[in-house]
């Protein structure tokens, strides 16, 4: 390929990287490497910088373009790197005209260009609407595909730089989302994942202010051929009644939620400027488990937020069991310049790393308990490849020789510590499925 995209960070970035590759190639970019960066931690930014230097050593003649959240928030820093030829903003990266301009600039002689001339970053806060983006080429043949329905965030958690990289919350109109899902299902995709930066804020900027639950019900109603619908990370305090109703009453909405919890101590949550308390998180998990008893829950948790004591941390650790979490995404706290939390009294780095290790260990133990509990159950497994599938609960399953894209009802006979196991005879192309 004349354009290679290296992706850091979230699933949304991964989805957008495919759009970037298509736009850059259509614009005529040649021998170009695009770094689609993440700004969520200092480590993510450092990894992007390291990757830029490494790639330039490996491919000295290639043009290097940096985009993504870190490019939006720290454009000047990347532009000062001699290895970088162009910096494109987070909203600009999805516009074909931005890549046409980039291709023209990259084709011209680049010696002696001032750092400021490399930067093509617009004001992300001025963006108020969101157009639907359907990637029609790369997704063909993939059993699970993503549909971006929302971008940006109106909240200002004290630790988070992402609103300044993504802008304010904006949503894709419901009709456009339903049309996208229908198109993807007609192309044979078995599972659709709705994704966004702050997914449960969906619709606040649209006429009539529909919520995420309304969107989910519209998809399930108007695309009856859809086998599986999954939603990505949500904020439990924003979850609406229609979403819970769909979770309880439509089996096509997968029994798997990933929650933005961040901490388990009320004072830390307040200092984070979160909008829920510890009791709210526990009550929500209890509620959804009553509605869908087999549901699998995951959560984002931050270790070592400023002022966090050992006692405060223990409350986050206890959430794993009290909320019945299966999947943990653990972030060692990283101070992001310009955020209020960066000015608070910091926890020692060694303590942060040790707390993150303990949280991850708790998550590993919780996952093992869930894997143990699956033995003897029959599960609907979406075959992702010749070697792996996933259950409704997003648990990985080791398969052999199955046909990607099929949804098969399989008996779980064991696990290897990370993946569920099924009888080989059931995971062949001729096995029972639908």
């Amino acid at each position: 390929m004349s354009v290679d995209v290296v992706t850091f960070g979230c699933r949304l970035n991964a989805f957008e990287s495919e759009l970037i590759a298509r736009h850059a190639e259509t614009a005529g970019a040649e021998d170009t490497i695009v770094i689609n960066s993440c700004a969520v931690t200092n480590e993510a930014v450092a990894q992007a910088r390291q990757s830029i230097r490494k790639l330039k050593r490996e491919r000295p003649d290639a043009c290097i373009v940096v985009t993504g959240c870190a490019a939006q928030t720290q454009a000047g820093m990347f532009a000062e790197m001699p290895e970088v030829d162009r910096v494109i903003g987070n909203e600009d990266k999805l516009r074909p005209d931005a890549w046409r301009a980039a291709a023209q600039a990259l084709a011209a002689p680049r010696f002696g260009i001032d750092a400021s001339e490399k930067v093509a970053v617009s004001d992300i806060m001025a963006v108020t609407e969101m157009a639907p983006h359907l990637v029609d080429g790369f997704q063909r043949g993939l059993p699970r595909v993503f549909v971006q329905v929302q971008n940006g965030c109106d909240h200002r958690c004290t630790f988070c730089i992402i609103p300044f990289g993504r802008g304010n919350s904006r949503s894709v109109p419901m009709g456009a989302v339903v049309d996208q899902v229908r198109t993807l299902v007609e192309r044979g995709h078995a599972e659709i994942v709705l994704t966004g930066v702050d997914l449960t804020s969906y619709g606040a900027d649209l006429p009539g202010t529909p919520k995420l639950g309304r969107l989910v019900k519209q998809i399930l109603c108007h695309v009856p051929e859809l086998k599986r619908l999954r939603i990505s990370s949500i904020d439990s305090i924003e979850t609406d009644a229609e979403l819970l109703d769909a979770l309880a009453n439509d089996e096509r909405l997968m029994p798997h939620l990933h929650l933005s919890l961040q901490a388990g101590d009320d004072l830390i949550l307040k200092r984070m400027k979160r909008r829920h308390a510890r009791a709210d998180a526990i009550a929500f998990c209890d509620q959804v488990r009553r509605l869908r008893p087999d549901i699998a829950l995951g959560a984002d948790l931050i270790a070592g937020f400023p002022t966090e004591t050992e006692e405060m941390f223990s409350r986050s650790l206890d959430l794993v069991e009290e909320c019945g979490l299966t999947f943990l995404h653990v972030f060692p706290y990283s101070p992001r310049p310009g955020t209020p939390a960066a000015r608070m009294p910091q926890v020692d780095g060694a303590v942060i790393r040790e707390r993150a290790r303990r949280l991850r260990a708790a998550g590993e133990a919780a996952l093992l308990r869930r894997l143990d509990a699956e033995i003897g159950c029959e599960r609907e497994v979406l075959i992702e490849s010749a070697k792996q599938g996933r259950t409704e609960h997003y648990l990985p399953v080791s398969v052999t020789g199955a046909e990607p894209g099929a949804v098969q009802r399989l008996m779980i006979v064991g696990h290897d510590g990370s993946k569920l196991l099924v009888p080989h005879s059931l995971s062949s192309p001729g096995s029972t499925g639908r």
Side-chain angles (χ1 to χ4, degrees), residues 353-369:
R353 291 188 292 274
E354 193 271 339
R355 289 176 182 170
R357 180 195 62 77
R358 289 159 61 192
L359 270 178
R360 292 190 181 108
E364 290 166 3
L367 178 58
L368 281 175
R369 289 195 296 271

Side-chain angles (χ1 to χ4, degrees), residues 73-341:
T73 58
Q74 296 175 267
M77 179 191 70
F78 285 106
E80 292 288 347
M81 296 181 69
E83 299 88 352
V84 173
D85 298 290
R86 188 85 167 172
V87 181
I88 296 179
N90 225 2
E91 180 70 13
D92 309 85
K93 72 182 181 183
L94 303 180
R95 294 192 294 105
D97 61 321
W99 288 102
R100 288 193 292 269
Q104 293 174 1
L106 296 174
R110 298 188 298 279
F111 298 105
I113 292 179
D114 185 79
S116 63
E117 297 179 71
K118 301 179 183 179
V119 177
V121 177
S122 61
D123 180 6
I124 196 75
M125 293 301 179
V127 182
T128 58
E129 295 182 348
M130 183 180 173
H133 298 289
L134 178 63
V135 183
D136 55 3
F138 86 104
Q139 299 193 106
R140 291 185 185 275
L142 294 178
R144 175 185 299 106
V145 293
F146 296 87
V147 172
Q148 183 184 6
V149 303
Q150 186 274 338
N151 203 347
C153 185
D154 290 339
H155 309 303
R156 297 295 182 264
C157 297
T158 59
F159 56 84
C160 188
I161 196 70
I162 297 306
F164 304 98
R166 289 279 179 179
N168 293 315
S169 182
R170 50 208 186 273
S171 313
V172 177
M174 281 195 297
V177 175
V178 172
D179 288 344
Q180 282 186 291
V181 172
R182 184 182 295 110
T183 297
L184 292 168
V185 170
E186 288 172 351
R187 292 175 183 169
H189 302 291
E191 182 173 303
I192 303 296
V193 184
L194 303 183
T195 187
V197 173
D198 182 24
L199 196 56
T200 35
S201 71
Y202 174 86
D205 58 320
L206 297 177
T209 61
K211 293 186 178 294
L212 180 62
R214 176 64 57 86
L215 174 65
V216 165
K217 284 193 170 184
Q218 289 292 306
I219 292 170
L220 294 171
C221 175
H222 293 290
V223 193
E225 304 84 5
L226 173 63
K227 293 179 181 178
R228 294 160 66 127
L229 180 64
R230 194 180 298 276
I231 55 178
S232 59
S233 181
I234 64 171
D235 194 337
S236 59
I237 203 68
E238 286 185 322
T239 305
D240 64 281
E242 285 192 279
L243 181 60
L244 294 176
D245 182 65
L247 185 67
N249 294 302
D250 197 317
E251 291 186 353
R252 291 180 297 156
L253 182 57
M254 294 295 95
H256 164 234
L257 296 175
H258 191 85
L259 311 176
S260 179
L261 298 184
Q262 310 304 350
D265 179 81
D266 282 340
L267 184 55
I268 291 297
L269 287 167
K270 184 176 181 180
R271 288 172 177 166
M272 288 179 167
K273 207 175 178 182
R274 300 294 294 167
R275 289 160 299 128
H276 72 273
R278 174 191 180 82
D280 296 324
I282 296 171
F284 177 82
C285 294
D286 289 343
Q287 180 184 20
V288 295
R289 194 165 284 110
R290 287 193 302 272
L291 296 172
R292 199 79 174 261
D294 65 331
I295 196 164
L297 298 172
D300 294 333
L301 289 172
I302 295 175
F305 184 82
T307 76
E308 182 185 74
T309 64
E310 178 62 27
E311 182 180 3
M312 292 170 173
F313 169 73
S314 69
R315 295 191 183 99
S316 291
L317 199 59
D318 290 343
L319 268 191
V320 179
E321 185 169 339
E322 293 184 49
C323 286
L325 303 177
T326 296
F327 307 101
L328 285 196
H329 193 176
V330 176
F331 293 87
Y333 172 75
S334 178
R336 304 303 291 123
T339 59

